[in-house]
Amino acid sequence: MDSGSVALLRELLAETGWLERARELGVALRATRSPGGLLLVGTPDEEPWHLTAHLADEARFSGLSQLTPTLVRWAPPADAPAHLRVGLERLERAARGETLFVLSEQQAPVPLLERVNDARRTGATILAVEGGDRELAGLAHDAIQVPREGPVTFDGAQHLVSAAAGEQERRPGLRERLARLLEKVSGPQLAD
């Protein structure tokens, strides 16, 4: 999804609450302390490749290196490059300051829930985009539920969250601050 499509989607969802929820989750993702400490995991049938790519882009474009994700895979091939060979055993080493971001449109499998629970107990922050899984939502510190019949698809919710994660608050520059000060001092300009 390109930036124009994301902008259109944001405009359409402005009054729905989705943007605020995506921003909250984006802020939580930015709280990860170090590059590689943002662990993304999906289900055995749906690994979050697409979101991993978007978060890597957001990390690069925004300069927020903590958004650089680590894709955690269920059965990585032994001959895969190192960054694509990270298996579920990485979740056993999840620690305070790291974030485990779980994506599960369907019911999360029990082995995943067990590993999420273990990561939570060791101090990792658990975030999720889920499709109505009460157990996963209960383990997460913050989660967005994506209803099947809602205004946003599961893929769309991931785009909103990744875009929100890379957003930086822009502080007004000197010219903007001076213009506001002049307007306050002189009052509003009236049209002739």
Side-chain angles (χ1 to χ4, degrees), residues 37-161:
L38 175 55
L39 310 172
L40 268 67
V41 66
T43 62
D45 299 327
E46 287 291 326
E47 292 181 332
W49 291 91
H50 193 78
L51 183 59
T52 301
H54 279 291
L55 284 171
D57 287 344
E58 291 296 339
R60 195 170 46 259
F61 297 144
S62 67
L64 297 169
S65 61
Q66 71 268 32
L67 289 178
T68 304
T70 298
L71 176 63
V72 178
R73 302 181 64 197
W74 283 79
D79 61 344
H83 71 285
L84 298 177
R85 223 180 15 235
V86 179
L88 291 176
E89 66 280 351
R90 173 60 177 91
L91 300 182
E92 296 168 6
R93 298 187 316 274
R96 187 170 311 284
E98 293 185 324
T99 301
L100 175 53
F101 191 17
V102 183
L103 292 107
S104 180
E105 188 171 6
Q106 308 298 323
Q107 199 75 12
V110 172
L112 177 58
L113 293 172
E114 290 170 348
R115 286 177 171 88
V116 168
N117 188 43
D118 291 344
R120 182 181 168 107
R121 280 190 288 174
T122 61
T125 299
I126 310 299
L127 304 175
V129 174
E130 46 87 19
D133 185 335
R134 287 182 173 205
E135 287 187 69
L136 178 56
L139 288 171
H141 293 95
D142 196 2
I144 292 180
Q145 180 183 0
V146 184
R148 292 188 203 286
E149 302 301 320
V152 176
T153 64
F154 198 77
D155 190 49
Q158 292 175 56
H159 281 101
L160 289 172
V161 170

